[in-house]
Amino acid sequence: MGSANSTLDSSPVSFSQDLVDTLADNAASPTPSPARQNSIDAHIRARIQAELQQLRAEEQSVRDQIYAALEKENLDRERAMAGDPDSVKTSAALLADLDEVRAKVDRFHARRDLSEFPTLRQDSEALVACYKNNATTPLNCWQQVDKFKASVAQVEQQHIKSLQ
């Protein structure tokens, strides 16, 4: 077994000219085929998107940490300035207070009705209309301004007389 010499058949191997040309063209051009290039591009885009999402998540995490640190620093500063740690309100409590003040202002504006003073309301509307019509030249509304000032002075005088 194995001691017998095997004889090699030395017949020449031949390849078709089309195969040789295709291999030569592929070796000569460094660019991959369009299908392969599309596959490579899709893979690269997927990796870029994944990396971008990871970076955005990290950025949001850093922002949250910065926000928390700034809020803590502000509370510490407010406590130090107030001297009494229990008197310092959180930002949520301050926002609630702000909403309450806004509601009061809205109620005040709703009660402030100019129906008792039709002249003042007409002069006010005329002044606003003039400003809208002369947005680039508001000085042209000087007559409406004077009328409005006179109406306000008249209402003030009526109010002063009503208090006496």
Side-chain angles (χ1 to χ4, degrees), residues 114-125 151 155 158:
L114 296 180
S115 62
E116 299 175 23
F117 312 104
T119 307
L120 180 63
R121 185 176 43 158
Q122 290 171 354
D123 292 342
S124 172
E125 290 172 356
S151 295
V155 169
Q158 289 175 358

Side-chain angles (χ1 to χ4, degrees), residues 120 147-160:
L120 180 63
K147 277 185 170 181
F148 180 72
K149 284 181 181 179
S151 295
V152 169
Q154 182 182 8
V155 169
E156 286 175 345
Q157 289 299 323
Q158 289 175 358
H159 182 68
I160 290 173

Side-chain angles (χ1 to χ4, degrees), residues 17-82:
Q17 188 60 39
D18 289 340
L19 178 62
V20 172
D21 290 342
T22 303
L23 291 174
D25 288 344
N26 285 343
S29 68
T31 59
S33 68
R36 175 81 175 129
Q37 185 64 43
N38 287 341
S39 173
I40 292 170
D41 290 346
H43 179 69
I44 290 172
R45 277 193 292 276
R47 288 183 62 189
I48 289 173
Q49 287 298 324
E51 188 70 24
L52 186 61
Q53 287 176 349
Q54 180 184 357
L55 289 174
R56 285 183 179 152
E58 289 176 8
E59 179 184 15
Q60 186 60 41
S61 172
V62 168
R63 282 185 183 176
D64 291 343
Q65 291 173 359
I66 290 172
Y67 180 75
L70 287 174
E71 188 171 359
K72 182 184 179 309
E73 181 181 320
N74 286 339
L75 284 174
D76 291 344
R77 186 179 307 129
E78 288 175 4
R79 284 187 183 120
M81 289 172 50

